[in-house]
Each structure stands twice: as C-alpha cells, then as structure tokens.
Amino acid sequence: MKHALKIFACNSNDGLASEICSRLGVRPSQLEISRFSNDNLHVQIQENVRERDVFVVQSFTEPVSDHIMEMLITIDALRSASAQRITAIIPYYSYARSDKKDKPRISITGRLIADMLVTAGANRVLTMDLHADQVHGFFRVPVDHLTAIPTIADHFRQNYDLANMVAVATDAGGAKRVGRFSERLGIPMAIIDKRRVSDTDVKQGEVVGDVRGRDAVIFEDEISTGGTLISTINTLRAAGARSIHAGAVHGVLCGPAIERLREAAIDSIVVTNTVYVAPEKQLDKLTVLTVAPLFASAIERIHSGESVGALFE
C-alpha cells in the first residue's frame, strides 16, 4: 500500500509531520522552501511524485500568511509534477474563525482560503476541530474533519477522578462541543454567559449550572490570547469551583497568552500538538498531547479507500 504514498511537510509543524511519518513507516518526502532576494517564496519538490498519492502537512500558525502561501505553492508544484491526488492536511485551520459576515464590508475569509486551496490543486482536505462546523461546507472538495475530543477526554479519565468533575463551556456557542466532551466522560456540564467586546476583551456574567465545590474542566477548540480562558477562570473561582482545569485542541498561545496563563489560578492546561508549542511557551502546568496517531490512521484510511469516520465509532 505505502509504495505510492508520499508525505511532505512545510515549515509550520515539522515535529507532528515527522511523528505521522514514523507511525506510518514512511520517510518524510523531500522539498525545498526558500526565498528569492525580493522575498518571493520558492518551492521545489525534490523527488518524483508522478501518479503518487501525496499528502502535504501544514498548520496555519504564525506567520499565518507565509504558511498559507507555502502550502499553496507546494500544492501547485505537486500538481505541476503530475501527482495523482493531493490531500492538504491542515491540523489547525486558523481562518475558520472568519466564518460569517457579522460586520459590513468584510470578507468571509474561511471560505476564501478554502477556494484558494482548491484552486491551487488540493483534491481533498484533512483537518481537525474547526472553530465552526459550517466551515466544512466552504470546500468544493471532500473534507475529513477529525476531532481530538477523545484524546483529551482520555487524558482526564486516566489522570483525574471524574466523580466530582463538571465540563464548562465558555459561551453558548461552544455548548455543542462541550456537550460531546462531557458525554464522552459521563460528567455534567455548565455554561458561562459571555459577551465578546473585542478580539482580546471578553466580559462574562453568571454560570449556568452547578460548579460550587466541583472540579471544573473548561473545554475549548483553541486557546489564543487566553482572554476568554482567564475570564472564565475568574468566573468559576467566584462561583466556588474547587479546582479548575482547561482542555483545548489548538494551543495557539499568541500575544499575552503565556504571561496570562503563568499567573492564572488554574491547576492544569491540556492542548494537542496541532500547533507547535515552542520551548519558551512551555509551562509547568501545560501538557501537550499528540494527535499523530489519529492523523496517521486517517491518512492510511484515505490512501486505502476505507472509512475515516469509522475511527470515531
């Protein structure tokens, strides 16, 4: 099966790509990404991909525009080199947050990036825990949408007593996601009444649900600047939570996030390696789980024509 499978890694998350290759028993395929003196990106595929099943791994992390362009040019180069099928593996699709026209004269950028990937030559997309489920429908090619909920839930099951635990949604919009998480663990859930003032300023009100004297687990799709998380922690402390933990799929941890979390009254934080967490962002209370086995299994199933959805049954 694996003689025709090739996996290329752009520059955003070499560690995850290498682990995926190791799990599949294949070596990372070779490409060169460089810049001309005028700052234009240059990509050269350094091995034969004619009639091969090709996968390109790239998370849309800082610098986001550079990483998107790297992937687009790599996909176009693979198409020009006569690859049989090109699957864009995007563990973290950051523009999924731009999923609606909630202000005048703005772009629904999540749809724009989807169109660009297809125009470049992507025949399929494999991603994980999109910020909004409707982004799945922005693509004109098949999309396999993985979730790290089982991975994070298993971590809490193995390391904590669930008898006194409650899952917490930071707002009503995240209730469906947290509901899946709480159902997986067999624990109740609570919801915070949240009002977003700006990208970095969040106001929160009352807790809907019982958290007093309980171990609260805040569950989110991502931790970005940490503003929502800090506000939720303060709300839960005021509501009498005994201990507070956080689980998030994408540990973006940008801007003031690390300083905020270092000082936060939180017992533990769990993220996955969809986003590379640099050494300077590592905290004693932070645990990074790997999702490489899940991506490797999905790649193997896509390559062999098996069901990817069966991974979660």
Side-chain angles (χ1 to χ4, degrees), residues 145-163:
H145 188 192
L146 305 180
T147 179
I149 287 176
T151 302
I152 298 173
D154 287 347
H155 170 83
F156 281 98
R157 181 181 291 107
Q158 293 164 12
N159 293 280
Y160 298 93
D161 179 10
L162 303 183

PDB file of all heavy atoms in Angstrom, residues 145-163:
ATOM      1  N   HIS A 145     -12.994  15.622   8.668  1.00  0.00           N
ATOM      2  CA  HIS A 145     -12.903  16.510   9.830  1.00  0.00           C
ATOM      3  C   HIS A 145     -12.698  15.662  11.089  1.00  0.00           C
ATOM      4  O   HIS A 145     -13.643  15.080  11.614  1.00  0.00           O
ATOM      5  CB  HIS A 145     -14.190  17.337   9.917  1.00  0.00           C
ATOM      6  CG  HIS A 145     -14.153  18.402  10.947  1.00  0.00           C
ATOM      7  ND1 HIS A 145     -15.282  19.100  11.353  1.00  0.00           N
ATOM      8  CD2 HIS A 145     -13.132  18.906  11.682  1.00  0.00           C
ATOM      9  CE1 HIS A 145     -14.953  19.983  12.268  1.00  0.00           C
ATOM     10  NE2 HIS A 145     -13.649  19.879  12.500  1.00  0.00           N
ATOM     11  N   LEU A 146     -11.455  15.598  11.562  1.00  0.00           N
ATOM     12  CA  LEU A 146     -11.127  14.811  12.747  1.00  0.00           C
ATOM     13  C   LEU A 146     -11.420  15.613  14.016  1.00  0.00           C
ATOM     14  O   LEU A 146     -11.573  16.834  13.978  1.00  0.00           O
ATOM     15  CB  LEU A 146      -9.646  14.419  12.728  1.00  0.00           C
ATOM     16  CG  LEU A 146      -9.128  13.685  11.493  1.00  0.00           C
ATOM     17  CD1 LEU A 146      -7.647  13.382  11.655  1.00  0.00           C
ATOM     18  CD2 LEU A 146      -9.915  12.416  11.240  1.00  0.00           C
ATOM     19  N   THR A 147     -11.487  14.918  15.138  1.00  0.00           N
ATOM     20  CA  THR A 147     -11.645  15.593  16.422  1.00  0.00           C
ATOM     21  C   THR A 147     -10.694  15.001  17.448  1.00  0.00           C
ATOM     22  O   THR A 147     -10.463  13.787  17.461  1.00  0.00           O
ATOM     23  CB  THR A 147     -13.097  15.496  16.935  1.00  0.00           C
ATOM     24  OG1 THR A 147     -13.170  16.155  18.217  1.00  0.00           O
ATOM     25  CG2 THR A 147     -13.559  14.049  17.088  1.00  0.00           C
ATOM     26  N   ALA A 148     -10.161  15.880  18.292  1.00  0.00           N
ATOM     27  CA  ALA A 148      -9.271  15.447  19.379  1.00  0.00           C
ATOM     28  C   ALA A 148     -10.020  15.283  20.690  1.00  0.00           C
ATOM     29  O   ALA A 148      -9.393  15.045  21.730  1.00  0.00           O
ATOM     30  CB  ALA A 148      -8.131  16.452  19.558  1.00  0.00           C
ATOM     31  N   ILE A 149     -11.351  15.382  20.662  1.00  0.00           N
ATOM     32  CA  ILE A 149     -12.120  15.231  21.896  1.00  0.00           C
ATOM     33  C   ILE A 149     -11.825  13.907  22.591  1.00  0.00           C
ATOM     34  O   ILE A 149     -11.572  13.885  23.809  1.00  0.00           O
ATOM     35  CB  ILE A 149     -13.627  15.411  21.621  1.00  0.00           C
ATOM     36  CG1 ILE A 149     -13.938  16.880  21.351  1.00  0.00           C
ATOM     37  CG2 ILE A 149     -14.471  14.908  22.799  1.00  0.00           C
ATOM     38  CD1 ILE A 149     -15.384  17.154  20.970  1.00  0.00           C
ATOM     39  N   PRO A 150     -11.816  12.759  21.875  1.00  0.00           N
ATOM     40  CA  PRO A 150     -11.497  11.502  22.565  1.00  0.00           C
ATOM     41  C   PRO A 150     -10.104  11.496  23.193  1.00  0.00           C
ATOM     42  O   PRO A 150      -9.911  10.962  24.288  1.00  0.00           O
ATOM     43  CB  PRO A 150     -11.618  10.449  21.462  1.00  0.00           C
ATOM     44  CG  PRO A 150     -12.527  11.058  20.449  1.00  0.00           C
ATOM     45  CD  PRO A 150     -12.206  12.515  20.469  1.00  0.00           C
ATOM     46  N   THR A 151      -9.131  12.099  22.509  1.00  0.00           N
ATOM     47  CA  THR A 151      -7.756  12.137  23.018  1.00  0.00           C
ATOM     48  C   THR A 151      -7.674  12.922  24.320  1.00  0.00           C
ATOM     49  O   THR A 151      -7.059  12.477  25.306  1.00  0.00           O
ATOM     50  CB  THR A 151      -6.821  12.765  21.963  1.00  0.00           C
ATOM     51  OG1 THR A 151      -6.891  12.006  20.755  1.00  0.00           O
ATOM     52  CG2 THR A 151      -5.385  12.805  22.460  1.00  0.00           C
ATOM     53  N   ILE A 152      -8.298  14.095  24.348  1.00  0.00           N
ATOM     54  CA  ILE A 152      -8.256  14.931  25.544  1.00  0.00           C
ATOM     55  C   ILE A 152      -9.110  14.325  26.656  1.00  0.00           C
ATOM     56  O   ILE A 152      -8.719  14.329  27.836  1.00  0.00           O
ATOM     57  CB  ILE A 152      -8.710  16.367  25.219  1.00  0.00           C
ATOM     58  CG1 ILE A 152      -7.750  16.988  24.191  1.00  0.00           C
ATOM     59  CG2 ILE A 152      -8.769  17.226  26.480  1.00  0.00           C
ATOM     60  CD1 ILE A 152      -8.187  18.345  23.674  1.00  0.00           C
ATOM     61  N   ALA A 153     -10.256  13.775  26.297  1.00  0.00           N
ATOM     62  CA  ALA A 153     -11.115  13.139  27.297  1.00  0.00           C
ATOM     63  C   ALA A 153     -10.410  11.959  27.962  1.00  0.00           C
ATOM     64  O   ALA A 153     -10.493  11.778  29.185  1.00  0.00           O
ATOM     65  CB  ALA A 153     -12.422  12.681  26.647  1.00  0.00           C
ATOM     66  N   ASP A 154      -9.694  11.168  27.170  1.00  0.00           N
ATOM     67  CA  ASP A 154      -8.964  10.030  27.732  1.00  0.00           C
ATOM     68  C   ASP A 154      -7.897  10.489  28.726  1.00  0.00           C
ATOM     69  O   ASP A 154      -7.642   9.822  29.737  1.00  0.00           O
ATOM     70  CB  ASP A 154      -8.317   9.203  26.622  1.00  0.00           C
ATOM     71  CG  ASP A 154      -9.335   8.389  25.835  1.00  0.00           C
ATOM     72  OD1 ASP A 154     -10.487   8.271  26.291  1.00  0.00           O
ATOM     73  OD2 ASP A 154      -8.977   7.878  24.754  1.00  0.00           O
ATOM     74  N   HIS A 155      -7.259  11.633  28.450  1.00  0.00           N
ATOM     75  CA  HIS A 155      -6.251  12.175  29.372  1.00  0.00           C
ATOM     76  C   HIS A 155      -6.882  12.469  30.728  1.00  0.00           C
ATOM     77  O   HIS A 155      -6.320  12.104  31.777  1.00  0.00           O
ATOM     78  CB  HIS A 155      -5.643  13.450  28.790  1.00  0.00           C
ATOM     79  CG  HIS A 155      -4.777  14.194  29.757  1.00  0.00           C
ATOM     80  ND1 HIS A 155      -3.453  13.871  29.988  1.00  0.00           N
ATOM     81  CD2 HIS A 155      -5.053  15.240  30.595  1.00  0.00           C
ATOM     82  CE1 HIS A 155      -2.956  14.681  30.906  1.00  0.00           C
ATOM     83  NE2 HIS A 155      -3.895  15.522  31.284  1.00  0.00           N
ATOM     84  N   PHE A 156      -8.054  13.102  30.741  1.00  0.00           N
ATOM     85  CA  PHE A 156      -8.710  13.425  32.008  1.00  0.00           C
ATOM     86  C   PHE A 156      -9.225  12.169  32.698  1.00  0.00           C
ATOM     87  O   PHE A 156      -9.171  12.049  33.920  1.00  0.00           O
ATOM     88  CB  PHE A 156      -9.834  14.432  31.777  1.00  0.00           C
ATOM     89  CG  PHE A 156      -9.348  15.842  31.618  1.00  0.00           C
ATOM     90  CD1 PHE A 156      -9.180  16.402  30.360  1.00  0.00           C
ATOM     91  CD2 PHE A 156      -9.013  16.604  32.732  1.00  0.00           C
ATOM     92  CE1 PHE A 156      -8.713  17.699  30.212  1.00  0.00           C
ATOM     93  CE2 PHE A 156      -8.537  17.900  32.603  1.00  0.00           C
ATOM     94  CZ  PHE A 156      -8.386  18.451  31.331  1.00  0.00           C
ATOM     95  N   ARG A 157      -9.699  11.203  31.925  1.00  0.00           N
ATOM     96  CA  ARG A 157     -10.173   9.951  32.514  1.00  0.00           C
ATOM     97  C   ARG A 157      -9.048   9.204  33.216  1.00  0.00           C
ATOM     98  O   ARG A 157      -9.243   8.612  34.280  1.00  0.00           O
ATOM     99  CB  ARG A 157     -10.794   9.067  31.432  1.00  0.00           C
ATOM    100  CG  ARG A 157     -11.330   7.731  31.991  1.00  0.00           C
ATOM    101  CD  ARG A 157     -11.916   6.850  30.903  1.00  0.00           C
ATOM    102  NE  ARG A 157     -13.151   7.410  30.375  1.00  0.00           N
ATOM    103  CZ  ARG A 157     -13.265   7.969  29.177  1.00  0.00           C
ATOM    104  NH1 ARG A 157     -12.204   8.035  28.369  1.00  0.00           N
ATOM    105  NH2 ARG A 157     -14.409   8.454  28.769  1.00  0.00           N
ATOM    106  N   GLN A 158      -7.863   9.230  32.615  1.00  0.00           N
ATOM    107  CA  GLN A 158      -6.741   8.472  33.152  1.00  0.00           C
ATOM    108  C   GLN A 158      -6.037   9.175  34.313  1.00  0.00           C
ATOM    109  O   GLN A 158      -5.359   8.522  35.114  1.00  0.00           O
ATOM    110  CB  GLN A 158      -5.729   8.207  32.031  1.00  0.00           C
ATOM    111  CG  GLN A 158      -6.249   7.267  30.947  1.00  0.00           C
ATOM    112  CD  GLN A 158      -5.413   7.308  29.689  1.00  0.00           C
ATOM    113  OE1 GLN A 158      -4.311   7.876  29.676  1.00  0.00           O
ATOM    114  NE2 GLN A 158      -5.903   6.719  28.602  1.00  0.00           N
ATOM    115  N   ASN A 159      -6.192  10.487  34.424  1.00  0.00           N
ATOM    116  CA  ASN A 159      -5.400  11.235  35.405  1.00  0.00           C
ATOM    117  C   ASN A 159      -6.200  11.922  36.508  1.00  0.00           C
ATOM    118  O   ASN A 159      -5.604  12.457  37.447  1.00  0.00           O
ATOM    119  CB  ASN A 159      -4.558  12.291  34.671  1.00  0.00           C
ATOM    120  CG  ASN A 159      -3.482  11.689  33.795  1.00  0.00           C
ATOM    121  OD1 ASN A 159      -2.425  11.294  34.283  1.00  0.00           O
ATOM    122  ND2 ASN A 159      -3.755  11.603  32.499  1.00  0.00           N
ATOM    123  N   TYR A 160      -7.536  11.896  36.413  1.00  0.00           N
ATOM    124  CA  TYR A 160      -8.339  12.618  37.401  1.00  0.00           C
ATOM    125  C   TYR A 160      -9.537  11.785  37.832  1.00  0.00           C
ATOM    126  O   TYR A 160      -9.994  10.903  37.106  1.00  0.00           O
ATOM    127  CB  TYR A 160      -8.822  13.955  36.822  1.00  0.00           C
ATOM    128  CG  TYR A 160      -7.701  14.899  36.466  1.00  0.00           C
ATOM    129  CD1 TYR A 160      -7.176  14.927  35.169  1.00  0.00           C
ATOM    130  CD2 TYR A 160      -7.150  15.744  37.424  1.00  0.00           C
ATOM    131  CE1 TYR A 160      -6.137  15.784  34.834  1.00  0.00           C
ATOM    132  CE2 TYR A 160      -6.112  16.606  37.103  1.00  0.00           C
ATOM    133  CZ  TYR A 160      -5.608  16.617  35.809  1.00  0.00           C
ATOM    134  OH  TYR A 160      -4.583  17.460  35.492  1.00  0.00           O
ATOM    135  N   ASP A 161     -10.049  12.100  38.995  1.00  0.00           N
ATOM    136  CA  ASP A 161     -11.274  11.481  39.495  1.00  0.00           C
ATOM    137  C   ASP A 161     -12.461  12.217  38.873  1.00  0.00           C
ATOM    138  O   ASP A 161     -12.646  13.419  39.097  1.00  0.00           O
ATOM    139  CB  ASP A 161     -11.315  11.585  41.020  1.00  0.00           C
ATOM    140  CG  ASP A 161     -12.580  10.980  41.612  1.00  0.00           C
ATOM    141  OD1 ASP A 161     -13.329  10.313  40.862  1.00  0.00           O
ATOM    142  OD2 ASP A 161     -12.805  11.175  42.825  1.00  0.00           O
ATOM    143  N   LEU A 162     -13.260  11.507  38.099  1.00  0.00           N
ATOM    144  CA  LEU A 162     -14.364  12.137  37.386  1.00  0.00           C
ATOM    145  C   LEU A 162     -15.610  12.312  38.241  1.00  0.00           C
ATOM    146  O   LEU A 162     -16.561  12.986  37.826  1.00  0.00           O
ATOM    147  CB  LEU A 162     -14.724  11.309  36.138  1.00  0.00           C
ATOM    148  CG  LEU A 162     -13.603  11.057  35.120  1.00  0.00           C
ATOM    149  CD1 LEU A 162     -14.158  10.290  33.929  1.00  0.00           C
ATOM    150  CD2 LEU A 162     -12.969  12.372  34.671  1.00  0.00           C
ATOM    151  N   ALA A 163     -15.644  11.730  39.444  1.00  0.00           N
ATOM    152  CA  ALA A 163     -16.861  11.716  40.257  1.00  0.00           C
ATOM    153  C   ALA A 163     -17.348  13.119  40.612  1.00  0.00           C
ATOM    154  O   ALA A 163     -18.555  13.348  40.756  1.00  0.00           O
ATOM    155  CB  ALA A 163     -16.620  10.917  41.538  1.00  0.00           C
TER     156      ALA A 163
END
